[in-house]
Amino acid sequence: MKNTRHRTVKGKITRHVVVALVLTVAVLTIINVVFLSRQIIKQQEAKLELATQMSSNTVDSWINDMGTVTEDIASSLVALGDLNTSTVKAVVDRVALNHPELYFVYFADYRGVMTMARGVEYASGVDPRNRDWYKKAVEAGHTVVIDPYASATRPDIMLASVVTPVYWGSTLVGVVGVDADIETIQQFMRDVDFESGSYGFLLDSQDNVIVHPNEDFNPSADSVTYALEVMPELESVIHKDNDDVVTTVDYSGEEMVYSAVTSEISNWTVVVAYPSKNVWGTVRRGVAMSMFIALVFIIIAIIDIAYTVRKILKPIDNINPVMDKIIAGDFTSKMDFETSDDEIGELQNKLAQSIGGLTDIIEEQKYVLGEMEKGNLAVADVKEAPGELNDIALAVNSIKEKLNDMISDIQFSALNLQSFAMGINETSDLDEMRMVFEELSAEANELMEKTSVFITLPPSGGVDTEALSASPEDEIES
């Protein structure tokens, strides 16, 4: 069945414009959301890398502080120029007193004599010159950081050391060192301000775990944990092979984003883990904000479009009632349009002019025909009308002219008939009467010929066709 539902122009235009607008905004929003998501992820990754760098800087600052202590001790020993045990002990005891956070403070001279602060006795039978920290300091010739190791003095404790070689001129006279135990380092890492849900851990120069939230990974006097053995997926981020960040599940089963920075001072690596849900939470908030703004924009645009379309097409609301009256034959309604300077305004003005002109023509023709109905055939002709309407004006004027001629002829014939009747009354000569009737018959025939172009209906009382067909001569003879 054909759909006969009435649809307005405003509805059609508004619907199509709104659909086009919604589609356009939807496409742009999708593009924006994709781009925004990528940008937010990049920003979060950059934020994570910055946090990792800051954590690494904090570790470097802590190590530098320890290095400053060893270098101050070395400078003091050089300035004193005395390696006497009591002199050396006084120096290291003073430093240990000022830095209680340091587990051991000590000096080992080139002869193998080990002097430790706080009255600590060095392990019996162990030559400090054979220890890795001593060899690495001598080999480097400057302050170095030593990866965690089991202490010779306290084998049950893991220590990390900062050591500095001491030279008198160009002659090596020993190595000074300070130690921090693993618990101190762990506490230090716990004090680093990570964002909620994030955590950091520390690896030594050999990628062994120094500090990790998972206690099972932390080193002990008996063993160390190789990070890439328990977390192989972090190799690319730790060694900076491909990625700046890596997303993977951590020891607790939560998906995390990892970033790592290796210190140039110690070659230790700081790794920061950031919850992946936080990244995507930020993305979701950004997307939601973008969608909300797009929705608000669409609502505002729809309201504006509806108002604009309604305002532009408002003249149509005035046209339809007038056209309905015209269809019903009422041409008395006046077109009352609002001023408009667009195409619809031009259309409404032309339509108003057309209806006004048509109304004037109808009124004029009604007046002329009304006067003719009253018998006034001297009324002025209908004015010339534009286009095919002029044919109607010409037809009315022609009818008026013909009627005027016919009525004039009838009036003239009536005068003649009256004159003939008076002549007949004055004579009794049949020949003269015949001649009068013949003239009267000729004039009647001429009048009939003029009216023969009209198609008429018979009178309501009927017509005597035999009387109409009888000649005037027959009437006279009868």
Side-chain angles (χ1 to χ4, degrees):
M1 181 181 293
K2 185 177 179 180
N3 186 6
T4 59
R5 187 176 62 178
H6 178 69
R7 290 187 175 93
T8 63
V9 175
K10 287 186 290 187
K12 290 180 179 179
I13 293 177
T14 303
R15 184 166 56 254
H16 285 291
V17 171
V18 168
V19 170
L21 174 67
V22 171
L23 288 176
T24 301
V25 173
V27 171
L28 292 178
T29 301
I30 291 173
I31 295 174
N32 180 59
V33 165
V34 173
F35 176 77
L36 179 64
S37 300
R38 292 178 178 176
Q39 290 300 111
I40 291 176
I41 291 174
K42 288 182 179 179
Q43 290 176 1
Q44 292 298 308
E45 291 177 352
K47 178 181 177 181
L48 175 58
E49 291 173 8
L50 178 61
T52 307
Q53 184 63 58
M54 292 177 64
S55 300
S56 177
N57 292 341
T58 302
V59 173
D60 285 346
S61 177
W62 175 69
I63 292 174
N64 283 332
D65 289 344
M66 294 177 65
T68 299
V69 172
T70 60
E71 290 169 3
D72 287 346
I73 296 174
S75 297
S76 296
L77 293 176
V78 170
L80 292 172
D82 184 6
L83 295 182
N84 184 276
T85 300
S86 60
T87 302
V88 174
K89 183 174 177 57
V91 171
V92 295
D93 279 343
R94 175 175 55 82
V95 171
L97 181 64
N98 293 331
H99 295 278
E101 75 277 5
L102 298 176
Y103 201 86
F104 288 136
V105 180
Y106 50 87
F107 173 73
D109 65 18
Y110 67 97
R111 297 167 300 185
V113 177
M114 183 72 162
T115 303
M116 303 185 71
R118 304 188 186 101
V120 177
E121 294 293 332
Y122 186 63
S124 177
V126 179
D127 189 343
R129 295 171 297 178
N130 294 328
R131 300 290 287 175
D132 283 344
W133 53 266
Y134 190 97
K135 292 179 181 179
K136 288 180 179 180
V138 173
E139 181 181 354
H142 57 74
T143 301
V144 293
V145 179
I146 307 302
D147 292 339
Y149 61 95
S151 171
T153 304
R154 289 286 305 273
D156 58 325
I157 297 176
M158 295 288 289
L159 301 174
S161 303
V162 177
V163 293
T164 301
V166 181
Y167 291 92
W168 285 356
S170 59
T171 303
L172 176 73
V173 296
V175 173
V176 61
V178 295
D179 296 340
D181 64 335
I182 289 296
E183 289 185 1
T184 300
I185 301 174
Q186 290 174 347
Q187 185 58 49
F188 169 79
M189 286 297 293
R190 293 190 192 102
D191 292 340
V192 176
D193 186 19
F194 294 106
E195 189 172 334
S196 177
S198 304
Y199 61 85
F201 54 94
L202 189 63
L203 309 180
D204 66 19
S205 62
Q206 303 302 312
D207 295 335
N208 295 317
V209 175
I210 300 176
V211 180
H212 195 282
N214 185 357
E215 295 293 338
D216 294 338
F217 294 168
N218 288 328
S220 65
D222 299 326
S223 65
V224 294
T225 301
Y226 182 52
L228 299 183
E229 182 178 332
V230 294
M231 298 174 285
E233 62 277 3
L234 300 186
E235 182 173 4
S236 63
V237 71
I238 291 175
H239 293 162
K240 298 294 183 183
D241 293 336
N242 298 309
D243 304 317
D244 291 330
V245 297
V246 169
T247 302
T248 186
V249 176
D250 72 351
Y251 69 97
S252 66
E254 184 175 358
E255 188 175 75
M256 308 291 285
V257 181
Y258 292 90
S259 176
V261 173
T262 299
S263 169
E264 295 181 358
I265 297 175
S266 61
N267 282 329
W268 289 3
T269 300
V270 176
V271 183
V272 175
Y274 188 81
S276 180
K277 63 181 181 182
N278 289 6
V279 176
W280 287 108
T282 305
V283 172
R284 284 192 292 271
R285 286 192 295 273
V287 170
M289 180 62 68
S290 179
M291 295 294 290
F292 175 75
I293 293 173
L295 181 60
V296 171
F297 173 75
I298 288 175
I299 293 174
I300 294 174
I302 290 175
I303 294 174
D304 180 67
I305 289 170
Y307 172 77
T308 303
V309 171
R310 180 181 179 83
K311 184 175 181 180
I312 292 174
L313 299 181
K314 188 174 182 179
I316 295 179
D317 293 335
N318 296 329
I319 292 174
N320 281 330
V322 175
M323 295 304 296
D324 290 339
K325 290 184 179 180
I326 290 174
I327 292 173
D330 181 3
F331 289 86
T332 60
S333 299
K334 298 296 183 182
M335 304 295 289
D336 183 18
F337 292 132
E338 294 183 356
T339 302
S340 181
D341 58 357
D342 53 19
E343 293 86 350
I344 295 181
E346 294 178 4
L347 175 63
Q348 69 180 11
N349 293 333
K350 290 178 181 179
L351 181 59
Q353 292 174 5
S354 299
I355 295 175
L358 183 60
T359 301
D360 292 341
I361 292 172
I362 292 173
E363 290 296 326
E364 182 182 19
Q365 292 182 1
K366 185 168 68 172
Y367 170 74
V368 171
L369 292 174
E371 289 297 310
M372 290 171 60
E373 182 184 14
K374 296 176 183 178
N376 179 17
L377 298 180
V379 67
D381 288 346
V382 177
K383 296 178 181 179
E384 183 177 350
E388 295 184 359
L389 292 175
N390 195 49
D391 293 341
I392 300 175
L394 292 175
V396 172
N397 291 335
S398 176
I399 292 172
K400 184 173 72 71
E401 182 180 357
K402 289 181 179 180
L403 286 175
N404 190 68
D405 290 345
M406 288 174 57
I407 297 301
S408 297
D409 289 343
I410 291 172
Q411 289 176 344
F412 180 74
S413 297
L415 289 174
N416 286 341
L417 182 59
Q418 185 180 12
S419 176
F420 293 154
M422 291 175 63
I424 291 173
N425 290 332
E426 294 175 356
T427 182
S428 58
D429 186 355
L430 291 177
D431 291 334
E432 186 176 353
M433 293 177 63
R434 183 184 295 277
M435 183 180 64
V436 171
F437 277 108
E438 286 177 354
E439 290 178 3
L440 182 60
S441 177
E443 190 166 335
N445 288 334
E446 184 179 354
L447 186 58
M448 288 292 292
E449 184 178 350
K450 287 184 178 182
T451 59
S452 63
V453 296
F454 295 99
I455 300 174
T456 62
L457 293 174
S460 58
V463 180
D464 187 354
T465 56
E466 292 183 359
L468 291 174
S469 63
S471 65
E473 293 83 353
D474 294 336
E475 292 290 332
I476 295 173
E477 291 176 355
S478 63

